[in-house]
Structure formats: structure tokens, C-alpha cells
Amino acid sequence: MKQWHRHAAVMALLGIIGSPCAASAGNEGNGEVQLSPLEMAASKDTIDHITQVDIERKTARNLWEALRGVEGVNLQTSAGRNEGTISIRGSNRYQVGLYIDDIPVATAYRNEWDANNILTYGLESIEVSKGYSSPLLISNNNLAGAVNLRTAKPKKEFEATAKYMNFFDRNVQNQGQMAAASVGTKQDLYYLKGTFIFNNQNFFTYPASFDSAPYQPGSRARNSDNQTLSGNIIGGWTPNDDVDVMVGYTRQHFQKGQPFDAAQTRTGDSTTYPYKRFWEWPEYETSRLYANGNFNLSSKAHLKAVAYYDWHQDTSKSYTDVSMTRRDSADKTYDQFTTGGQLTFDYTFNPANKIALSAGYRLLSHKEYNDYSVFDDTGLKPKLKKKAADVGSQLDEHITETYDLPPKNWSA
């Protein structure tokens, strides 16, 4: 929208400059021509609506790529966990909420989620809200904004789509591929749809000018592979135009490597480069079961109800060197889930005024397990060697949080 305004302003200005006679003819004898100010301001809206057409134009496979170029949204990569992260208006990643079909989605621990792992095939749109979003009407972790993905529902009696993409680097080496398909039906009283996606990346490359580094001897990033296999099934009940109750289930398997540090050898005041991060995530699993109901009680009153159970587990492995053969640390596993429900009522008085009330409950659980059975303690001092009690998946940390909307001590 901002770019359109610029073009419009330039065209208007050229029109004025190119027609001096017409301007003076209408003001003969006045000696002064009054021109209206040109509108240069961009839209004040704080919500960006990204359609499936926009996603296709960007050839975006995942959320991180789909948000490229959106005003106020900065894309980053977390080097520690090799995750694509999103920042809105200078915030950090932990202040941005993620939703799919109005269901809050996040790994419960520190609100971490990987934007590279959220695939866009089968989506109808992406809504990016910039600025504080009320926790009473949405959920927590929305200080900087919220991102809501909407699944495309079937609109015809029978519809099916399929897609295949292959990616090559500048040397025409096979960099990866994506294959996806969906099939659905829309009937008078219900709809059904199934979507399946396979996404594979063999590696990514650094620029041709990249200088070889100790852990990255060439421009092809080592240990930069990842693979996703996911399925999503939705079903809906639509007895009339004012009722839409949808139930969905998603299952996703994801595994990835951690690209080795590409820095040159250097020792600073307290840090030595490159970092010795020889890690991989052989397991990065997500399951989600949810229900979403929308009811138009009248032309102005609307009721929304959601219920969900979101489970996530990932395991990381650490090695001693780039050969990734000897293990120097325990396997670390995060086992997390989020469950809850929310009921929201809103009444629209006019286009500028609306009142809304919300009540809900949310439980978040995070468990961390450490397994030292793979830890190679050869050559270590006796006091550093693993003990019998260390072998096996030992629960090291368990954190739970609950949210009540409105709070229990809330009063009108």
C-alpha cells in the first residue's frame, strides 16, 4: 500500500507539471495557483493480510519466507537452536504470539517456535497484527503483536490440488524439494479436507565470496539439512450460514542439523571463535488437536469458542567435533504441552465501536530430560565420569504455568 501511494503521488505531480496551461487557464488574472496537498502518508492500519496469492508470488514454503518484506517485521535466525525467528517493531521473539485458526501455538517453554518449520501450503491467509494485543481477547505473549494463520477450507463439492518444487544452488546441485497435496469436499451441512506435505533441504549455500573457515571449508553449509513430513485433517459442521464448527488434527515430524559456525579463528576477551556447536535434532515432533466454533447470534453479535491440546517434543544431540562421532554430553529432550479453551463474545455497535468479553483457561507444561547413557567419558577424571544414576532419561526440570481469563480475583 505504501509503494502504491508513492507511485500515485509521482503520477499526480507529473500531471500537474505537464499541464501548466490548463492550470493557468482556470485562474486567469489571479496571479496565483492554489494546489491541494498531495497525500503521501501510508495506511494507518496495523494489521497486514497476506493471501495465498501473496505467498505464491514469494515462492514461500514456510512462514519465515512468507513474512519477508512485510513492514515492521524483521526476520532473524537463532544460532543457538537454528530456528527462524520473527521480530515485530523491534521486539524480541518472545513477545510475538503465534496462532493457527485462532488457536495459540507455541512450545510452552519461553514461547519458542521455529518459523521455518511452519509450512504455508494449504493456508488461506496470514494475519500479522502489530502492536499490543489484549490477552483477554487472545492470549499471552502478545506484547509486540500476533501472527495468525488460517487454514483454507474447501469451497467446492470436490477439490484437489498438488504441488512439487525442486531447488538448485548456483552450481545446479540438488538443494532440496517439496511435494504437497490436498483433497477436500464442501457439502451443505459439512466439509472435510486433508493436507499432506513433504519438505526436504539437503543444504544451503553461503555467497560465492565466502572465505573458507575452520568448520566450513567451502560455500556449502555443513550440517544444514532438515526434513519435514506433516499431515493436517479438518472437518466442519455448517448447518446454516451463521454457524461454523471446525475440528482439526495436525501431526508433524521434523528433523534438522545445526550448521557449523562459519567464523574465522579468533580469540576475544572472553570468547573463542568459531563456536564448537556440533549439534543435531533427530526428533522435533508436534501434534495438535483443536476445535474452533464461530456463531453469528445476530448481525452485530458474535460468539467464538476454541478448545485445544498442543503437544511438542524435541531431542538434541551434542558431539565433540565436526566428525560427529563421539558424544560429549547427555541427550536433552524437551517434552511440552499446552491445553486450554476460550470463549469470546463481541458486539459491534458501528464500524468504529465494538465491545468484547472473554473467559478462558490455559495450562502449559514443560519437562526436560537428560540421558547420559551415550556420553563418552573416556579419558575423564573419575569424578567427571558418568554414574549409574545418570543412565536413562532422567527428569531434570518440570515447569507448569496456568492462565485464567479473566483472572480469579477479577471483578466487574
Side-chain angles (χ1 to χ4, degrees):
M1 184 63 74
K2 185 175 183 179
Q3 192 67 31
W4 184 90
H5 279 300
R6 287 175 179 169
H7 290 314
V10 171
M11 293 300 291
L13 186 59
L14 290 175
I16 293 169
I17 295 174
S19 307
C21 295
S24 59
N27 296 275
E28 261 186 278
N30 291 339
E32 184 178 348
V33 178
Q34 296 291 335
L35 299 178
S36 300
L38 295 176
E39 177 60 52
M40 299 293 288
S43 170
K44 303 296 191 300
D45 292 342
T46 58
I47 298 179
D48 278 299
H49 190 79
I50 303 167
T51 66
Q52 182 59 235
V53 174
D54 298 326
I55 294 172
E56 290 295 334
R57 284 174 178 167
K58 295 180 180 181
T59 321
R61 287 180 292 173
N62 55 51
L63 177 63
W64 198 87
E65 295 174 348
L67 295 183
R68 183 182 293 121
V70 177
E71 249 184 304
V73 177
N74 298 317
L75 305 178
Q76 302 166 330
T77 298
S78 168
R81 290 176 58 87
N82 188 24
E83 294 172 333
T85 66
I86 295 169
S87 168
I88 296 180
R89 292 178 172 175
S91 67
N92 64 43
R93 62 182 297 189
Y94 306 111
Q95 298 171 326
V96 178
L98 174 67
Y99 301 82
I100 298 179
D101 295 321
D102 300 321
I103 306 298
V105 176
T107 52
Y109 186 51
R110 298 188 301 188
N111 191 38
E112 288 177 323
W113 40 272
D114 187 355
N116 291 322
N117 189 32
I118 302 167
L119 305 180
T120 57
Y121 181 83
L123 293 182
E124 178 182 87
S125 62
I126 302 171
E127 298 168 358
V128 182
S129 301
K130 304 168 190 175
Y132 174 71
S133 298
S134 171
L136 289 177
L137 301 180
I138 306 180
S139 188
N140 59 315
N141 298 321
N142 297 305
L143 183 63
V147 179
N148 188 24
L149 290 69
R150 296 198 179 276
T151 303
K153 300 175 183 178
K155 296 179 173 59
K156 301 177 181 178
E157 188 173 340
F158 175 79
E159 59 182 50
T161 62
K163 183 176 184 178
Y164 178 81
M165 300 172 68
N166 213 103
F167 302 90
F168 302 90
D169 67 1
R170 57 180 173 270
N171 297 318
V172 200
Q173 298 295 313
N174 185 19
Q175 205 166 356
Q177 52 280 138
M178 188 199 82
S182 70
V183 59
T185 180
K186 173 68 173 75
Q187 303 296 327
D188 291 337
L189 299 179
Y190 68 91
Y191 55 86
L192 295 169
K193 183 180 180 181
T195 303
F196 305 92
I197 308 172
F198 172 76
N199 185 59
N200 178 64
Q201 174 182 286
N202 297 321
F203 59 89
F204 71 82
T205 56
Y206 295 108
S209 59
F210 173 75
D211 293 328
S212 295
Y215 298 154
Q216 293 286 1
S219 60
R220 179 185 293 194
R222 302 177 65 185
N223 201 34
S224 61
D225 59 305
N226 64 67
Q227 188 178 98
T228 307
L229 182 63
S230 71
N232 181 40
I233 300 175
I234 63 171
W237 178 55
T238 53
N240 54 57
D241 293 339
D242 294 320
V243 176
D244 186 341
V245 179
M246 182 178 73
V247 176
Y249 175 73
T250 298
R251 173 66 177 171
Q252 183 171 25
H253 168 76
F254 182 54
Q255 58 185 24
K256 63 180 179 179
Q258 168 77 37
F260 301 145
D261 191 349
Q264 299 294 334
T265 300
R266 182 171 67 87
T267 300
D269 295 336
S270 58
T271 307
T272 300
Y273 299 96
Y275 282 123
K276 295 182 178 180
R277 287 175 172 165
F278 313 117
W279 303 339
E280 65 177 358
W281 279 263
E283 180 184 46
Y284 206 88
E285 313 285 343
T286 300
S287 292
R288 185 174 305 113
L289 178 63
Y290 62 96
N292 187 326
N294 286 276
F295 309 89
N296 292 324
L297 306 179
S298 69
S299 60
K300 295 185 176 182
H302 174 253
L303 181 67
K304 180 177 73 174
V306 299
Y308 50 88
Y309 176 82
D310 187 74
W311 171 85
H312 173 83
Q313 179 172 294
D314 64 72
T315 298
S316 60
K317 295 184 177 180
S318 177
Y319 298 84
T320 58
D321 54 38
V322 293
S323 68
M324 300 187 75
T325 54
R326 183 183 174 188
R327 309 289 296 282
D328 66 344
S329 184
D331 283 353
K332 186 178 291 293
T333 298
Y334 289 158
D335 188 355
Q336 307 166 101
F337 74 84
T338 305
T339 186
Q342 194 158 339
L343 194 65
T344 303
F345 170 82
D346 63 74
Y347 186 88
T348 303
F349 296 98
N350 53 54
N353 295 279
K354 179 172 71 173
I355 186 172
L357 301 172
S358 181
Y361 176 79
R362 188 182 186 196
L363 169 66
L364 300 91
S365 172
H366 163 80
K367 293 181 180 179
E368 178 183 322
Y369 295 89
N370 292 317
D371 183 3
Y372 285 86
S373 61
V374 296
F375 177 37
D376 188 347
D377 58 4
T378 304
L380 295 180
K381 296 179 179 179
K383 66 178 181 180
L384 298 178
K385 288 182 177 292
K386 61 186 177 185
K387 302 175 177 59
D390 293 329
V391 179
S393 297
Q394 301 297 319
L395 179 62
D396 183 64
E397 185 177 81
H398 186 195
I399 302 172
T400 60
E401 294 182 65
T402 58
Y403 295 86
D404 297 286
L405 300 175
K408 292 179 180 178
N409 60 354
W410 176 85
S411 61

